[in-house]
Amino acid sequence: MRRLILLRHAKSDWPDGIADPERPLAARGRNAAPRIGAYIAQEHLLADRILVSPARRTRETWDLVAARLPPPKVVASEPRVYDASAARLMTVLREQPKDAHSVMLVGHNPGLEDLAELLVASGPAPHLASMAEKFPTGGLAVIDLPVDEWSATAPGIGRLDRFVTPRDLGGND
């Protein structure tokens, strides 16, 4: 069994004259990310390997989340996660080493939402409905995959363990 954790960056700002990869978090995002980090710590959703898009908003999200967690085994900037399609994210996922039993991707929509939709075949109805409605900024999907190696990951095999948003954790995000 493998566990995939998908974390969409927290709410970002849109300052004039700033290129998309350099967009920072908005105040709402800086408030929401630590709540998600606290939830991850409380629920022991600690990944062996974290792959973070190099975009500023994803790096800032991860830094605020990570401040609430014990140090992970591996954290890497993964350029292929930035502005990635579900197909590209699937390729990245299938390349993960066998010793990583859980992987977290910190990235963007629509890729994360599309990947979750591609992988998930079952799970608790309220979580499935919430994820199908919207995968908002700061959204966290935990997907269990019945495979021995990441290379065996395929569409429709995942079970959604949970889907949590900053709003679920008591914010106005």
Side-chain angles (χ1 to χ4, degrees), residues 9-15 20 23-29 57 137:
H9 65 79
K11 184 71 175 167
S12 60
D13 203 357
W14 293 84
D20 185 70
R23 289 180 29 229
L25 289 181
R28 250 177 61 192
R57 59 194 178 273
T137 53

Side-chain angles (χ1 to χ4, degrees), residues 110-121:
L112 289 184
E113 182 173 2
D114 292 346
L115 179 63
E117 186 177 294
L118 179 70
L119 290 173
V120 170

Side-chain angles (χ1 to χ4, degrees), residues 43-124:
E43 297 294 314
H44 305 288
L45 299 172
L46 308 172
D48 298 325
R49 188 172 182 81
I50 293 94
L51 302 175
V52 183
S53 160
R56 180 176 173 185
R57 59 194 178 273
T58 50
R59 294 188 327 261
E60 289 179 358
T61 298
W62 172 247
D63 289 345
L64 291 167
V65 166
R68 303 292 182 119
L69 306 175
K73 294 177 186 174
V74 176
V75 177
S77 178
E78 174 52 73
R80 294 177 296 167
V81 174
Y82 175 72
D83 200 24
S85 66
R88 185 174 357 157
L89 292 172
M90 182 76 90
T91 297
V92 169
L93 194 58
R94 286 178 175 151
E95 293 173 358
Q96 297 313 299
K98 188 173 184 172
D99 66 343
H101 293 283
S102 57
V103 170
M104 176 186 281
L105 299 179
V106 184
H108 313 265
N109 263 2
L112 289 184
E113 182 173 2
D114 292 346
L115 179 63
E117 186 177 294
L118 179 70
L119 290 173
V120 170
S122 65

Side-chain angles (χ1 to χ4, degrees), residues 2 90 93-94 119 145 147 149-155 157:
R2 302 290 162 168
M90 182 76 90
L93 194 58
R94 286 178 175 151
L119 290 173
L145 303 166
V147 295
E149 296 186 20
W150 291 103
S151 60
T153 302
I157 66 166

Side-chain angles (χ1 to χ4, degrees), residues 131-146:
M131 189 175 76
E133 181 181 325
K134 183 178 182 183
F135 200 125
T137 53
L140 179 77
V142 180
I143 302 168
D144 292 325
L145 303 166

